[in-house]
Amino acid sequence: MAGLGAWNLARAALIILLLPRSLEQCGHISLSAPIVRLGDPITASCTISQNCSHLDSESHIVWKLEAELQPGERQQYLPNGTLQSTITLPHLNRSRALLSCCLHWGNSLQILDQAELQAGYPPATPHNLSCLMNLTTNSLTCQWEPGPNTHLSTNFTLKSFKSRGNCQSREDSIPDCVPEDGQSHCSIPRKHLQLYQNMGIWVQAKNALGTSVSPKLCLVPMDVVKLEPPTLWALGPSPEVAPPQPGCLRLRWETWKPSLHIDQKCELRHQPLLGEASWDLVGALPSRTLQYELCGLLPSTAYALQMRCTRWRLPGHWSNWSPSLELTTTQRAPTVRMDTWWRQRQLDPRTVDVQLFWQPVPLEEDSGQIQGYLVSLRPSDKAGADPMLCNTTELNCTFQLPSEAREVILEAYNTAGTSHPTPVVFLESGGPPLGRLHTVARDPHSLWVGWEPPSPQPRGYVIEWGLGPPSPSGSPKTWRMEHNGSIAGTLLQENIRPFQLYEITVTPLYQDTKGPSQHIYAYSQEMAPSHGPELHLRHIGKTWAQLEWVPEAPELGRSPLTHYTIFWTNAQDRSFSTVLNASSHSFVLRGLEPSSLYHVHLMAASQVWATNSTSLTLMTLALGFPLTLEESELHILLGLFGLLVLLICLCGAAQLCCRPRKNPLWPSVPDPAHSSLGSWVPTITTEDTFQLPSLRDSSMPPITKITVLEEEEKKPGPWESNDSSGTCGLPSLVQAYVLQGDPRVPRMQPQPQSGTSDQVLYVQVLGSPTGPRPGHYLRCDSTQPLLGGLTPSPKSYENLWFQTSPLGTPEPLVPNPEDDCIFEPLLDFPLLQGLRVSGVEGLGGF
């Protein structure tokens, strides 16, 4: 603050030096109040004297609060010629601020005058006034709480007076006590006090905004006296006094010398040095005794003791606690139970090497401190010298015994005595073994070992555990005894470290024997795989890539793999991933972009860790790139399959061509030059044959000749031949071969007849096999060769036998009686038995 004030003074001096000569003593600031309550408004005015009237008439006064420009309310010329500007700050929210009146001078803003504004609060009422009579300084010291900060300079004064009554009337005034700056306590010296007379005391607080006083305190100085604490000492041993019992302490104290004439009562408290126990308070102790024996403490334990005192039977204040006195209680003989275990090794037929282990189990909370252990061959109360086997502070001992020895005695001792002797009987192995032994790692620092209890139930178990191979065989092991024979497992938490192999041994204990030991190995926590499998690219295509890897062999102490995760990223940093089970050895990435770069890596994960394998960068093939091996193989297979299908089709076509058979697509027309009646007449079925009279009917004369009659020339029909050699309008597509005589009688090759060798007998069949009228045939004579210029089979749309009527129904071909052809019933054409008419529903009357 002093530095800040010096800086303000220097700045003001610099401003004065920099002011032009014509502006010196030119302006002055007046305030409505130099100090206001924080948040209240304040008004200021700046007046420019007449000696500045030569300034420009347009000059304007500017206000600044610290570095911020403030708008002025009004600016006017007074009758005496001075210029005045007024400003009102509605809320002064700063405890201290500098207000400046400025005027424009050239291109700069010149400060004419400055005023410091202060704001704060009136003083709060002091409270919690209390006084103590200090016999050491021989003064009455009072203290109070001043209340919240007022942001203003506040003065506190401790006022008092003497009074005979209850402080309602004043007798003698006592000089005011003014504390130092920032202090909230003050001391009235002894010369202004009457130790046994009432006094009225209060505190007054005052600043620029007001004054406040605390409530009055009426007291007698000696009633508020505070004694000094006593001094504690340990009470040493004395021949006349017996030593303290275990768990007891003896101490004495000396009171403060100026208070020897004052009756006092004191309090004692104690606390163990180790641990976090709280203080225990002992009731009032008479100060005249000056010594005390404290019992009920823990044996062989260090304690801190403190004492304080006050006036006895008169008002007064407790003294402060005395400095701590540290004492240790006496020891007691150990009260413990010994859990024991051993290992034996036969050195020779008469000597056995024994390694004995033990663990003390306290029977009481204050079981006594143990300083060492004794192992002897016989109890100490027997006659004769006791052969001492061990005297050690450790929890194990190795010694040799005769082969016939079956028992030793173990004791714990300290300076106060020995514990109850614990017999150790070396049991023989003869009990039943445990059932299935198993372990589970609960966390990195514990192992659960379980078993199936044998029958009969043991009285307890001994569990040993230590680092397994390859640790040295002599490495220390931890062991524990479980006295509950019905349990089926226990949690091992001592000396268990993560990622270590432990050998665990469990031995059942029976009443007079023990069972065989069972061993098991377990890891407290399995480690992650040392490294992941190496990733390889097997095949790649335009939109796919096949990856493969070789799984790592299982490692001892490492967690087995549970799954793989494949990550791949394209050139646009888009990431993809997929999870595979631990049995997977390959994977195909699909949906890739052609001619694109991808980064792939494989992560192998177990139940506890995950390990990344080597990364792989690959580029897919372009669209015009040659075929890969698998694509070539696929194309070869497709080509072979196509050749096979083509070969099958060719074979089928050859078979159809070489082996004629009835074609289902069109009727089979026999070749007259290479056929006989018996070879091409098909079997007659009831469904496809006409119901004709039997050829052997004697009433039906045999056909001997087909006569072709001439007819008048007329315009041929759409299905009639235009050949001038034809004498009958018969279509060439429907032709039948007629056999002279009975067709069922074998005949020789017919002899050619003179004059008629160029004639071919054929017939036109008219009528419907399913109609009610009998069928007819038209016999004609023609000199047209039968096989000359065979008409090919008509297409499905070239069937000219059927014409469509204007109504859309087929019109049957009805013979005209005026034609030269002769119509007779179809009774003497046995070849028509082989004619199969299909689609009769559209033939009309045919």
Side-chain angles (χ1 to χ4, degrees):
M1 295 296 293
L4 183 60
W7 165 251
N8 289 333
L9 292 177
R11 186 174 65 170
L14 182 62
I15 290 172
I16 294 175
L17 291 176
L18 294 178
L19 284 175
R21 180 67 60 180
S22 59
L23 294 180
E24 293 182 3
Q25 304 297 327
C26 188
H28 176 69
I29 294 179
S30 300
L31 299 175
S32 59
I35 301 175
V36 296
R37 184 186 289 267
L38 196 65
D40 287 355
I42 187 172
T43 302
S45 62
C46 181
T47 304
I48 299 179
S49 61
Q50 292 182 359
N51 57 359
C52 296
S53 60
H54 63 277
L55 297 175
D56 189 1
S57 61
E58 300 297 331
S59 299
H60 185 72
I61 297 176
V62 179
W63 292 93
K64 290 180 64 177
L65 184 63
E66 293 294 338
E68 300 177 1
L69 293 176
Q70 302 290 330
E73 291 183 355
R74 62 185 181 274
Q75 181 172 316
Q76 60 181 353
Y77 283 93
L78 301 179
N80 57 3
T82 60
L83 179 63
Q84 187 182 54
S85 176
T86 305
I87 185 175
T88 300
L89 301 177
H91 303 286
L92 184 59
N93 295 323
R94 305 179 186 181
S95 60
R96 289 182 180 272
L98 195 63
L99 183 65
S100 303
C101 175
C102 306
L103 187 68
H104 285 286
W105 179 266
N107 295 328
S108 62
L109 193 65
Q110 299 295 336
I111 299 177
L112 301 180
D113 194 12
Q114 288 183 321
E116 185 180 14
L117 308 180
Q118 295 186 26
Y121 299 104
T125 301
H127 56 284
N128 288 345
L129 176 62
S130 62
C131 298
L132 295 174
M133 184 65 193
N134 193 331
L135 297 181
T136 303
T137 59
N138 207 16
S139 61
L140 181 67
T141 301
C142 298
Q143 61 181 8
W144 60 90
E145 294 183 12
N149 185 15
T150 62
H151 303 287
L152 298 175
S153 177
T154 303
N155 299 321
F156 293 90
T157 303
L158 181 65
K159 295 180 174 292
S160 60
F161 62 89
K162 299 177 184 178
S163 176
R164 290 288 180 181
N166 53 359
C167 300
Q168 295 297 328
S169 61
R170 300 185 181 184
E171 289 189 357
D172 296 327
S173 296
I174 299 177
D176 294 341
C177 182
V178 180
E180 298 179 2
D181 291 341
Q183 301 292 333
S184 58
H185 60 83
C186 193
S187 297
I188 303 174
R190 170 71 177 81
K191 62 182 179 179
H192 300 301
L193 301 176
Q194 293 291 335
L195 295 182
Y196 296 96
Q197 185 179 2
N198 286 333
M199 292 180 59
I201 303 175
W202 73 97
V203 179
Q204 174 183 289
K206 184 177 182 181
N207 64 12
L209 296 180
T211 302
S212 64
V213 294
S214 68
K216 290 182 181 179
L217 184 64
C218 187
L219 54 85
V220 176
M222 284 304 294
D223 290 344
V224 294
V225 67
K226 182 178 181 179
L227 305 177
E228 291 295 325
T231 304
L232 293 178
W233 303 90
L235 187 60
S238 173
E240 293 82 8
V241 181
Q245 296 295 323
C248 292
L249 291 175
R250 289 178 180 176
L251 68 154
R252 63 183 183 88
W253 63 91
E254 294 179 359
T255 57
W256 182 50
K257 291 183 179 179
S259 63
L260 291 177
H261 63 283
I262 301 176
D263 292 337
Q264 303 177 25
K265 64 178 180 180
C266 301
E267 288 182 348
L268 179 68
R269 66 178 185 178
H270 56 85
Q271 180 188 36
L273 291 179
L274 300 179
E276 299 180 356
S278 59
W279 290 93
D280 290 333
L281 186 65
V282 180
L285 304 176
S287 61
R288 299 297 182 183
T289 307
L290 300 181
Q291 63 180 9
Y292 185 72
E293 183 176 12
L294 179 64
C295 293
L297 306 178
L298 297 177
S300 187
T301 304
Y303 284 88
L305 297 97
Q306 294 178 346
M307 181 176 283
R308 65 178 182 176
C309 298
T310 186
R311 295 176 68 191
W312 174 245
R313 295 178 181 175
L314 292 175
H317 292 277
W318 285 99
S319 66
N320 295 330
W321 289 102
S322 66
S324 296
L325 172 66
E326 296 181 2
L327 296 177
T328 302
T329 56
T330 58
Q331 293 184 351
R332 60 181 298 182
T335 55
V336 293
R337 184 193 74 231
M338 295 291 186
D339 289 340
T340 59
W341 183 240
W342 65 92
R343 296 193 189 100
Q344 290 180 326
R345 183 168 58 93
Q346 191 77 34
L347 297 180
D348 53 60
R350 302 185 62 182
T351 307
V352 177
D353 185 77
V354 180
Q355 188 176 12
L356 183 63
F357 306 91
W358 59 85
Q359 291 177 350
V361 180
L363 298 179
E364 300 176 6
E365 184 179 359
D366 52 344
S367 59
Q369 183 180 5
I370 298 176
Q371 295 180 344
Y373 301 92
L374 298 175
V375 180
S376 59
L377 189 58
R378 287 190 303 269
S380 59
D381 57 350
K382 289 188 177 181
D386 296 334
M388 188 65 60
L389 300 176
C390 288
N391 185 356
T392 179
T393 59
E394 303 293 332
L395 295 178
N396 61 84
C397 176
T398 302
F399 50 87
Q400 296 180 359
L401 288 177
S403 298
E404 62 274 8
R406 290 291 180 268
E407 182 180 351
V408 295
I409 298 301
L410 175 64
E411 296 173 308
Y413 68 90
N414 58 19
T415 55
T418 61
S419 66
H420 185 73
T422 301
V424 181
V425 180
F426 303 116
L427 303 176
E428 297 290 341
S429 296
L434 291 174
R436 186 177 62 91
L437 189 64
H438 57 278
T439 60
V440 176
R442 292 290 181 87
D443 54 66
H445 298 279
S446 66
L447 277 171
W448 169 266
V449 54
W451 57 83
E452 293 180 0
S455 181
Q457 179 177 306
R459 63 178 177 86
Y461 303 92
V462 173
I463 301 97
E464 298 178 272
W465 66 95
L467 292 176
S471 61
S473 59
S475 58
K477 291 189 176 183
T478 307
W479 68 280
R480 187 172 71 202
M481 179 175 289
E482 295 288 346
H483 294 276
N484 186 2
S486 62
I487 63 174
T490 184
L491 184 63
L492 309 180
Q493 294 177 299
E494 302 174 17
N495 300 328
I496 300 293
R497 293 179 296 172
F499 312 116
Q500 298 293 329
L501 178 64
Y502 286 91
E503 180 185 6
I504 305 172
T505 305
V506 181
T507 306
L509 301 178
Y510 299 93
Q511 191 63 35
D512 297 322
T513 184
K514 66 176 182 176
S517 301
Q518 302 287 335
H519 304 267
I520 193 172
Y521 294 89
Y523 277 93
S524 56
Q525 185 180 15
E526 292 181 324
M527 294 182 290
S530 57
H531 57 275
E534 187 174 357
L535 194 61
H536 299 283
L537 176 64
R538 183 174 181 181
H539 299 296
I540 192 168
K542 302 179 184 65
T543 60
W544 59 272
Q546 184 177 7
L547 309 174
E548 66 177 3
W549 59 91
V550 179
E552 298 294 329
E555 301 180 64
L556 186 63
R558 299 188 182 274
S559 179
L561 297 181
T562 57
H563 63 276
Y564 295 102
T565 304
I566 295 181
F567 302 89
W568 65 96
T569 307
N570 58 13
Q572 291 76 29
D573 289 336
R574 290 187 59 190
S575 298
F576 308 90
S577 65
T578 185
V579 180
L580 307 174
N581 54 35
S583 61
S584 300
H585 300 160
S586 63
F587 183 72
V588 178
L589 303 180
R590 302 189 183 276
L592 306 181
E593 296 292 335
S595 187
S596 299
L597 188 68
Y598 288 88
H599 299 280
V600 187
H601 74 272
L602 177 68
M603 183 180 71
S606 63
Q607 292 182 350
V608 292
W609 299 98
T611 303
N612 288 333
S613 69
T614 56
S615 298
L616 183 65
T617 301
L618 55 90
M619 172 76 76
T620 54
L621 301 180
L623 289 176
F625 201 83
L627 297 177
T628 60
L629 180 60
E630 288 193 357
E631 291 176 340
S632 301
E633 293 176 356
L634 180 61
H635 287 199
I636 292 174
L637 292 177
L638 291 177
L640 293 177
F641 180 74
L643 291 177
L644 180 60
V645 173
L646 180 60
L647 181 60
I648 293 174
C649 292
L650 292 177
C651 293
Q655 184 178 7
L656 291 176
C657 293
C658 298
R659 185 177 180 182
R661 59 179 178 177
K662 183 179 179 180
N663 196 327
L665 302 178
W666 55 80
S668 179
V669 178
D671 186 1
H674 301 86
S675 63
S676 63
L677 182 61
S679 62
W680 63 274
V681 176
T683 306
I684 299 173
T685 61
T686 59
E687 180 182 358
D688 301 326
T689 60
F690 297 103
Q691 300 297 329
L692 299 177
S694 177
L695 294 177
R696 293 188 178 274
D697 191 354
S698 59
S699 63
M700 294 298 294
I703 298 173
T704 58
K705 184 178 181 181
I706 296 177
T707 303
V708 178
L709 302 178
E710 293 181 0
E711 64 178 349
E712 297 178 356
E713 246 181 78
K714 64 178 180 178
K715 186 177 179 179
W719 47 271
E720 294 176 348
S721 175
N722 293 329
D723 196 346
S724 59
S725 61
T727 59
C728 183
L730 297 176
S732 61
L733 297 179
V734 180
Q735 299 177 5
Y737 297 92
V738 178
L739 179 63
Q740 298 286 338
D742 191 353
R744 293 174 177 83
V745 178
R747 296 185 58 183
M748 299 300 291
Q749 184 71 19
Q751 299 296 330
Q753 296 179 2
S754 62
T756 63
S757 62
D758 55 350
Q759 293 183 354
V760 177
L761 300 180
Y762 59 92
V763 69
Q764 177 181 354
V765 179
L766 301 176
S768 174
T770 59
R773 298 188 305 173
H776 296 81
Y777 64 89
L778 178 62
R779 293 178 292 178
C780 298
D781 292 334
S782 177
T783 59
Q784 193 174 11
L786 181 62
L787 300 178
L790 293 177
T791 303
S793 300
K795 304 294 184 179
S796 60
Y797 55 85
E798 294 177 349
N799 195 349
L800 301 180
W801 286 98
F802 305 97
Q803 300 296 329
T804 305
S805 66
L807 297 177
T809 58
E811 293 183 358
L813 183 59
V814 180
N816 191 352
E818 298 179 357
D819 291 340
D820 296 336
C821 298
I822 299 173
F823 298 90
E824 293 182 9
L826 296 174
L827 300 176
D828 53 354
F829 283 91
L831 295 181
L832 294 180
Q833 298 179 15
L835 179 62
R836 182 178 181 180
V837 181
S838 300
V840 296
E841 65 276 1
L843 296 179
F846 183 73

